[in-house]
Amino acid sequence: MELLEREQFLAALRGSPPGRVALVAGEAGIGKTSLVRGFCEDAGQPVLQGACDALRTPSPLAPLHDMGRQAGGDLARVMAADSPRHAMFTAFLDQLTAQETVAVVEDAHWADEATLDLLVFAGRRISSTRSLLIVTYRDDEVGAGHPLLAVLGALATDRTVRRIHLPPLSAGAVATLAGPGGPDAAELHARTGGNPFFVSELLSDPGLRVPGTVRDAVLARAARLGVAARDALNSVAIVPGQAVLPLDGADPEAVDACVSAGMLIRDGSRIRFRHELARLAIEDSIPPGRRVALHQRALAGLAERGSDPARLAYHAEEAGDGAAVLIHAPAAARRATAVGAHRQAADHYDQALRFAGRLPAADRAELLESYSEACAAVGRDAAAVAAAGQALDCWREQGDAEREAALLARRAHYLWSSGENAAAQASMRAALTLAHGLPPGPGLAAAYTWSAYLQMLARDIPGAISAGTQAIELAGQAGEQGLLARALNAVGTARWFDDPDLAEQTLTRSIEVARQAGQDAAAAWAMVNLGSGAGEVRRYTPAEHWLREAIAWCSDRDLDAGGRYATAWLARCLFERGEWEQAAATLAQDDPAGNTMTRIVSLTVLGRLRARRGDPGAAEALEEAWALATRTGDLQRLWPAAAGRAELAWLTGSGPVVSVRGIYDLAVRLGHAWAIGELGQWLDPPPEQVHPAAAAPYRVKPAGAARAWDALGCPYEAAMALAGDPGQLREALSRLERLGARPAADQVARRMRDLRIRAPRRSTLAHPHGLTARETDVLGLLRDGLRNAEIASRLYISEKTVDHHVSAILGKLGVHSRQEAARHGDAAGPR
């Protein structure tokens, strides 16, 4: 097939300087592989090619294994040895550094999590090499929530990245392909939409009159093959990606006949379909009984050759061989965990459980526990809770009180992560009751560990330290290093509120223990709590350091739950430090489908940020956060949401005063200095004196409070403290305007008028129609003709938030359309 209308894209690849990434995107069949193949044929340098397969659960790092086999040397040795993932990544980068190379990763939309991490790792470092990394993917399959989006986002602003999007062929190009005397070009273009694959398939068989579907064309070509060749074609069709030669049970001459007919392409010792859509068409046409037999044959041959357990598990499931699935799926899960592909691990355990109905109760319980742990690591909380509940039934059936007590305790944390705090406490009480009847061992250690963890989360600091100290001793005696890391985490996090220096020391030890034990998730949560705990007591330097460390650690290991929570907390720290644009950008990166605790933090920060900037949607975000927080009953969730609601009511003056009395009383009972101080500001009626247990900045006079807040790095709180002193109102107003805090600035200006204090000209935020700073930004982009999605991308906010801003702008300007607003903006003066 001639590469029509692809000259500019070939030129873009050929013009890419060394040390670059080229992202080649387009729909299935648009010609990505053909474009890259045409470039590589003339590249004049070594080419390494790897492909991602359309397995139900992808094989970790499959493209890197492909390239390792081609490259030989150190990369092949490291890959063959199943080395640690960082060693594999480093070896790949060393290969690109040692020799100017073109490395191609095809079909990244099917990539496993470990391969996605490889792309980020290599993409961020490619500039140090003289090689070109080409990544192809189907952009029409990369919708909201697709894992590849995170990779594209991570590389979005990197100047080493070149994006190439392949469009459909024009009607003229289709006419050229059809040629004189061929099928009607206009009809052909209308039927195919200009997709080169559809066009090529429809044109490849001159005996057909433009078949109705591509499947008809593919099956028509396959129908001309002999019986042996069609059987060989079917054998390849059941293997996503590419099959390994020799094919089990297939005549080599029959395979050659498929290649000669243009249905298959030989690539060294591997063979594949020319197009994935053609493979799917053939696979769907195979009768069910014959398909099972082919999978059985593939399973036997691959097992004899010691193939990847993920591929073996795939064929075993398709063959209906439950016994083989129960061997290979857990092995694939363990391998996925080892390289940080925790989503794939969870999927493989789930795959095994579909065939585990007849396993002995103890074996089924082990699988269920592994599955629940994997689900918890990637934020699938409901699945973790359900699997743990089924495992508990198995342990009860076995009469194993030790395992039952340990899992009851672990399940309590799963329930807490889901926001089901009452159920979590009930599970914890049951665990402790059962464990107290056991001798020291894993059951008792687990009960005390997770009891300490839940008390820490509830901010019962004395209780957490007491239970955690016992847990540390019990876990050490039992040799349970994973539990020891978690117990140290519970105690270390609790120490933030009575001895912060000891908190860092204890949590750092938790990380070390977890790493030595190979407990990625435990290490992640120790890092997260180093960051979030420091942030809660307003130690922002260590907080942001550890939160960024946690995000990187979790990203590298597919630990979604910890990474999302750390991201939400980083946004909170940035918000409290007055870095509001960065906070908004960080929130935009967070997944709105995170677990309950992450959503509470994100929504609270979002609502308070909108409230302080005067942006729309503050009440909605804060009310959703409050509804979720009340389900938990935990102070650390309730306090920020309650304070945010009260602050919004004061800033807007549009509703009744929001009562914080109940949450304040809880803070006093628990002795949380920062919660007491902030909530105490919103008590109605206000107390005559600040509670003596409140944090220091809340207990001093305005000037001293402002200095204290400045020292902590909290500019909004410092400005609000100055606003309490009539002599400092001008300074307070100036600071609030610099922050973009229009509602509070309006309150201060109003007080200055009441006190007959002349206010300085408010030019920084002033807009003739009362638009906020953010609304002014949006209006400027409307004038540039940008759509909502483009505005959201430019300002690092969600498209829904842009909708809110546009509605507010139309209302304030008194116009009815975006076009009118843009014209109104032109008349309002320069931007």
Side-chain angles (χ1 to χ4, degrees):
M1 175 67 65
E2 183 181 356
L3 291 179
L4 292 177
E5 298 184 338
R6 295 297 184 256
E7 296 84 0
Q8 69 183 90
F9 306 111
L10 271 174
L13 285 175
R14 289 167 180 159
S16 296
R20 295 292 186 270
V21 177
L23 300 176
V24 180
E27 67 185 44
I30 205 66
K32 301 180 294 295
T33 298
S34 296
L35 177 76
V36 173
R37 184 184 301 124
F39 167 74
C40 290
E41 286 174 354
D42 299 326
Q45 54 190 278
V47 176
L48 298 177
Q49 291 183 291
C52 305
D53 299 328
L55 296 171
R56 191 172 285 116
T57 301
S59 177
L61 296 175
L64 191 53
H65 282 283
D66 291 344
M67 289 188 274
R69 285 188 291 269
Q70 297 162 30
D74 288 342
L75 181 58
R77 178 183 55 76
V78 169
M79 299 305 298
D82 270 344
S83 302
R85 190 170 67 165
H86 185 75
M88 296 180 184
F89 288 9
T90 302
F92 176 62
L93 191 65
D94 290 344
Q95 179 74 29
L96 300 187
T97 304
Q99 184 177 22
E100 189 170 345
T101 303
V102 176
V104 180
V105 176
E106 292 206 71
D107 297 324
H109 51 279
W110 289 325
D112 63 285
E113 292 301 315
T115 298
L116 294 177
D117 289 342
L118 170 68
L119 296 180
V120 174
F121 177 92
R124 288 175 173 170
R125 296 163 177 83
I126 195 73
S127 61
S128 65
T129 77
R130 292 189 52 76
S131 294
L132 174 65
L133 173 61
I134 301 176
V135 181
T136 72
Y137 64 96
R138 295 180 185 173
D139 54 356
D140 59 337
E141 292 188 16
V142 182
H146 193 287
L148 183 59
L149 282 179
V151 176
L152 301 177
L155 300 177
T157 59
D158 198 311
R159 287 179 294 179
T160 65
V161 176
R162 170 167 289 181
R163 294 174 180 268
I164 297 172
H165 182 270
L166 300 184
L169 299 176
S170 68
V174 172
T176 299
L177 292 174
D184 182 81
E187 181 184 356
L188 182 58
H189 187 265
R191 296 289 301 275
T192 64
N195 182 290
F197 165 65
F198 294 168
V199 174
S200 67
E201 290 301 308
L202 294 172
L203 292 173
S204 64
D205 194 331
L208 296 175
R209 182 196 298 272
V210 188
T213 65
V214 170
R215 176 169 288 132
D216 290 341
V218 173
L219 294 180
R221 292 177 67 186
R224 295 197 304 272
L225 297 171
V227 174
R230 180 57 195 265
D231 185 65
L233 191 69
N234 290 348
S235 297
V236 178
I238 62 150
V239 182
Q242 50 190 352
V244 179
L245 294 172
L247 287 176
D248 294 294
D251 184 345
E253 291 185 1
V255 175
D256 291 342
C258 294
V259 174
S260 298
M263 298 295 292
L264 298 179
I265 296 175
R266 188 190 297 272
D267 183 8
S269 63
R270 293 173 179 262
I271 193 162
R272 60 179 176 81
F273 274 77
R274 182 175 298 276
H275 301 292
E276 172 64 11
L277 290 177
R279 185 192 72 80
L280 293 173
I282 297 297
E283 183 182 33
D284 291 345
S285 74
I286 303 172
R290 181 58 185 158
R291 191 184 308 176
V292 168
L294 289 171
H295 279 290
Q296 289 173 336
R297 190 167 73 185
L299 173 63
L302 291 171
E304 186 176 340
R305 293 196 286 271
S307 185
D308 173 24
R311 192 172 290 277
L312 292 171
Y314 170 78
H315 288 296
E317 182 170 15
E318 294 299 313
D321 189 340
V325 172
L326 290 170
I327 293 171
H328 301 303
R334 291 189 292 272
R335 177 174 289 190
T337 299
V339 297
H342 291 276
R343 279 201 200 112
Q344 276 67 48
D347 291 344
H348 280 305
Y349 282 126
D350 185 40
Q351 181 184 30
L353 285 167
R354 292 196 287 272
F355 295 86
R358 296 185 180 180
L359 280 179
D363 293 340
R364 192 164 66 254
E366 293 282 4
L367 264 183
L368 286 162
E369 280 205 51
S370 295
Y371 176 55
S372 64
E373 194 71 38
C375 286
V378 297
R380 300 178 188 175
D381 297 319
V385 169
Q390 295 175 51
L392 281 171
D393 292 339
C394 294
W395 292 128
R396 290 177 183 130
E397 180 184 332
Q398 289 292 105
D400 193 329
E402 185 94 38
R403 296 298 294 268
E404 182 185 353
L407 186 53
L408 277 168
R410 186 69 180 102
R411 181 171 175 265
H413 186 244
Y414 299 155
L415 287 162
W416 177 89
S417 296
S418 302
E420 302 294 338
N421 285 37
Q425 295 295 345
S427 186
M428 195 69 253
R429 287 192 295 271
L432 287 168
T433 299
L434 185 59
H436 282 148
L438 299 172
L444 193 59
Y448 273 100
T449 295
W450 294 109
S451 174
Y453 216 86
L454 262 61
Q455 290 178 83
M456 173 272 289
L457 293 167
R459 294 304 183 255
D460 177 0
I461 303 309
I465 293 173
S466 175
T469 301
Q470 294 181 72
I472 289 169
E473 182 179 353
L474 288 166
Q477 292 173 354
E480 294 284 341
Q481 295 300 296
L483 290 176
L484 176 59
R486 297 283 191 168
L488 288 165
N489 187 337
V491 173
T493 306
R495 288 294 185 192
W496 280 120
F497 308 100
D498 74 346
D499 190 343
D501 293 332
L502 187 56
E504 290 195 61
Q505 178 183 330
T506 308
L507 284 165
T508 301
R509 185 184 167 208
S510 173
I511 294 172
E512 292 171 355
V513 171
R515 283 176 166 172
Q516 290 170 4
Q519 296 277 340
D520 287 353
W525 283 105
M527 293 179 195
V528 169
N529 288 349
L530 266 164
S532 62
E536 195 168 330
V537 297
R538 298 188 183 263
R539 291 190 172 200
Y540 298 113
T541 298
E544 293 186 23
H545 166 77
W546 281 108
L547 289 169
R548 294 183 194 280
E549 286 286 313
I551 291 168
W553 176 271
C554 293
S555 175
D556 287 346
R557 291 159 181 81
D558 190 22
L559 296 168
D560 296 344
R564 290 169 182 162
Y565 190 72
T567 300
W569 251 101
L570 179 59
R572 174 170 165 175
C573 290
L574 292 167
F575 163 71
E576 291 178 356
R577 288 201 302 103
E579 300 288 349
W580 290 354
E581 289 298 325
Q582 289 187 48
T586 302
L587 285 173
Q589 297 170 17
D590 207 11
D591 187 340
N595 70 16
T596 298
M597 303 311 160
T598 298
R599 290 180 63 207
I600 292 171
V601 177
S602 295
L603 287 166
T604 302
V605 174
L606 180 62
R608 301 194 76 172
L609 179 59
R610 288 173 174 172
R612 290 184 181 180
R613 294 202 300 200
D615 291 343
E620 293 84 347
L622 287 169
E623 288 307 313
E624 185 178 351
W626 176 249
L628 293 171
T630 53
R631 283 174 50 199
T632 73
D634 284 345
L635 176 65
Q636 64 165 318
R637 312 301 167 200
L638 293 163
W639 143 44
R645 294 170 75 232
E647 182 181 19
L648 176 64
W650 175 76
L651 287 171
T652 59
S654 58
V657 176
V658 174
S659 175
V660 300
R661 172 61 67 178
I663 312 306
Y664 174 80
D665 291 342
L666 175 61
V668 171
R669 186 165 67 252
L670 294 174
H672 196 303
W674 293 98
I676 293 169
E678 183 170 18
L679 293 167
Q681 298 179 115
W682 303 110
L683 290 173
D684 185 39
E688 293 183 5
Q689 291 184 333
V690 176
H691 196 285
Y698 297 102
R699 290 187 278 108
V700 293
K701 293 181 179 180
R707 286 192 296 272
W709 287 117
D710 279 335
L712 290 168
C714 301
Y716 183 86
E717 286 75 8
M720 294 305 294
L722 290 172
D725 181 350
Q728 295 292 329
L729 287 172
R730 285 174 176 268
E731 175 65 17
L733 179 61
S734 175
R735 290 188 180 204
L736 290 169
E737 289 196 332
R738 286 199 301 271
L739 276 170
R742 172 175 284 277
D746 289 344
Q747 294 278 13
V748 172
R750 189 175 299 115
R751 187 174 180 214
M752 292 176 74
R753 289 194 298 271
D754 293 342
L755 295 174
R756 300 185 182 278
I757 299 173
R758 184 176 179 180
R761 182 181 179 185
R762 297 179 63 194
S763 58
T764 305
L765 294 179
H767 187 282
H769 297 280
L771 268 61
T772 67
R774 178 60 85 190
E775 288 165 357
T776 303
D777 292 338
V778 172
L779 178 57
L781 295 174
L782 285 177
R783 291 167 60 191
D784 290 338
L786 271 65
R787 299 188 301 273
N788 283 9
E790 296 169 317
I791 295 172
S793 176
R794 184 78 60 87
L795 297 180
Y796 300 102
I797 57 180
S798 71
E799 196 168 342
K800 185 176 181 181
T801 299
V802 176
D803 289 337
H804 285 306
H805 285 310
V806 172
S807 297
I809 290 167
L810 298 182
K812 291 179 180 180
L813 297 182
V815 298
H816 302 287
S817 71
R818 300 162 64 92
Q819 292 75 20
E820 287 183 77
R823 289 194 295 271
H824 204 295
D826 286 333
R831 286 171 286 180

